[in-house]
Every structure is written in structure tokens, then in C-alpha cells.
């Protein structure tokens, strides 16, 4: 068995290099400061355009509460899955009722019908975008409207950073094997459209790295990650936690009271 560190930051990557490990860039993470975020500016012109489309279509967004509309979310997730040919595995989030109830959720409705939702992981210092699910008839700009709502909520809660998660790194590799593996993954990942989508928010970009003790371990890790990401996800294990009971920001209760 060979150890590997996947999607680590620059500081850990530098430590790995000093320890003699092999390190390559593997992803670019987009992140925003919710306090300073605005839709103004030339870099967010495309974002404003699609937001207007969703607004003109009558889309409304709200934050999911303690009781989520799980049956409606099941329907949206199934519609998305059917249109996309299924979900992916490993580091790609997969829809599951027990899984999403541990996250912060934002919902989009049109004509009182749920047409999209997003979920975010949450810690004291960061909210990270995870699932984005929408029906085939959701108006353009619906997901963007949900993300803007999440940014507004993060600012209100005092969360200092919102991550839009990562896109695959698409630079040039010096190793032919690594270059072949990366191109194989990029063809399957639809990375161009995903990066364009996240770039519309005008985020900061941070390079993330893959590290392993030697070149053989690095190549094996690359192949294993590509295989796991492109394979169907494993079933999600049940998790009894609930986001509303274990909120992490200072303005919210750490432990909520249970319903009697």
C-alpha cells in the first residue's frame, strides 16, 4: 500500500517536497470572501446576466431549515442524475438523504415547485460548495442564484470564507505518464464548462497538489483517483448528525435543543 496526499495546499506541498516526496499540481480551488463579495464589476458581468434570467423567470431561493423537503429533493436529484448519466465517486459528492441533512442547504423554487438545490459543507472558518442539483427545466441562472444566497448567508453568519470547490488543474506536465492520465481525466470531467461557471463569480484561485513518496506511488495514486472519480459512487453510510443541531458559527447555537 502506498500513501498519497490528495488536494493539499501549498504549505503542505512544500513540506512534502522537503521530505523528498514527489509533488504535482492536481486542482485549482475557487474561493470567495463573503463579506466583500459583490456582483458588481466587469469580471462578474456574465454572472449578473444569468442572475437576471433567473429573476425574470420568477425563481425564488431560501435556506433549508431543520425539516427539508426530502421528497422534492429526491425528485430533483433523480432528474439531475438521469440527465447527467449518473453520479461520480470518491471526492465527488453523491446525493443521499442522510448525507444532505448534515449540510447547509439552499433551495430554489419556481411556481412553488422545487427546481434546484445546493448543499455546503460547513466548519467554523469555511463553507464549501458540495452538491449542485437542478431539474432539466430549471431556468438559467438558478444555481448561481443559490450560490449568491449562500454567500449572503455566510456573510451574515460571520463565516470568513466560502469555497466553490475545485476544478481540475489543466497545465502542462513534464512526465508523459502523468500527462496521459491527466488528459484522460480532463476528457471525462467537463472541466472547461465547470471552470467557466466558477470563474463567473470572480473568485480567488488556489492551486492544490497531489503528493506521494516516489514516482511509482504518484503514478499509482493518479490512476486510482481517476478510476474512483469516474466510477459510480459507493453507497453513502447513514449519519445521524443534523446541521441545524451542530451549527458551527459563533452566531448560532453549537448544540440545539431536541424536539420534544
Amino acid at each position: 500500500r502506498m500513501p498519497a496526499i490528495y488536494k493539499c495546499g501549498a504549505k503542505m506541498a512544500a513540506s512534502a517536497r522537503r521530505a523528498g516526496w514527489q509533488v504535482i499540481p492536481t486542482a485549482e480551488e475557487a474561493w470567495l470572501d463573503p463579506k466583500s463579495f459583490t456582483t458588481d464589476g466587469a469580471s462578474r458581468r456574465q454572472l449578473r446576466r444569468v442572475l437576471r434570467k433567473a429573476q425574470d423567470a420568477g425563481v425564488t431561493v431560501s435556506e433549508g431549515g431543520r425539516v427539508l423537503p426530502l421528497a422534492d429533493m429526491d425528485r430533483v436529484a433523480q432528474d439531475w442524475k438521469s440527465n447527467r448519466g449518473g453520479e461520480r465517486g470518491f471526492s465527488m459528492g453523491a446525493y443521499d438523504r442522510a448525507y444532505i441533512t448534515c449540510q447547509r442547504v439552499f433551495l430554489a423554487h419556481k411556481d412553488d415547485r422545487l427546481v434546484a438545490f445546493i448543499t455546503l459543507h460547513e466548519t467554523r472558518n469555511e463553507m464549501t460548495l458540495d452538491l449542485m442539483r437542478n431539474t432539466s427545466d430549471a431556468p438559467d441562472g438558478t444555481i448561481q442564484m443559490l450560490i449568491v444566497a449562500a454567500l449572503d448567508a455566510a456573510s451574515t453568519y460571520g463565516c470568513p470564507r466560502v469555497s466553490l470547490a475545485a476544478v481540475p488543474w489543466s497545465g502542462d506536465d513534464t512526465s508523459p505518464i502523468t500527462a496521459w492520465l491527466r488528459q484522460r481525466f480532463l476528457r471525462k470531467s467537463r472541466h472547461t464548462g465547470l471552470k467557466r461557471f466558477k470563474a463567473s463569480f470572480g473568485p480567488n484561485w488556489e492551486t492544490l497538489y497531489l503528493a506521494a513518496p516516489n514516482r511509482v506511488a504518484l503514478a499509482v495514486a493518479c490512476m486510482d483517483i481517476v478510476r474512483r472519480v469516474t466510477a459510480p459512487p459507493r453507497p453513502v453510510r447513514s449519519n445521524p448528525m443534523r446541521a441545524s443541531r451542530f451549527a458551527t458559527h459563533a452566531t448560532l447555537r453549537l448544540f440545539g435543543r431536541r424536539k420534544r
Side-chain angles (χ1 to χ4, degrees), residues 58-69:
V59 175
T60 59
V61 300
S62 60
E63 185 171 351
R66 177 182 288 270
V67 180
L68 295 170

Side-chain angles (χ1 to χ4, degrees), residues 5-17 23 29 206-211:
I5 305 172
Y6 182 50
K7 288 187 179 179
C8 65
K11 186 175 180 180
M12 184 175 287
S15 296
R17 284 195 187 96
V23 178
E29 182 180 13
E206 179 182 348
T207 302
L208 304 177
Y209 299 87
L210 173 66

Side-chain angles (χ1 to χ4, degrees), residues 8 10 16 18 21 31 43 51 59 63 68 81 85-86 111 124 127 129 153 171-172 178 180 183 226 248-249 254:
C8 65
R18 288 194 296 270
W21 284 36
W31 65 273
S43 65
L51 287 174
V59 175
E63 185 171 351
L68 295 170
K81 186 176 178 179
D111 300 327
R124 188 177 301 279
M127 290 167 63
L129 181 64
D172 296 325
T178 305
W180 178 81
Q183 290 306 312
V226 169
T248 53
H249 298 301
L254 182 59

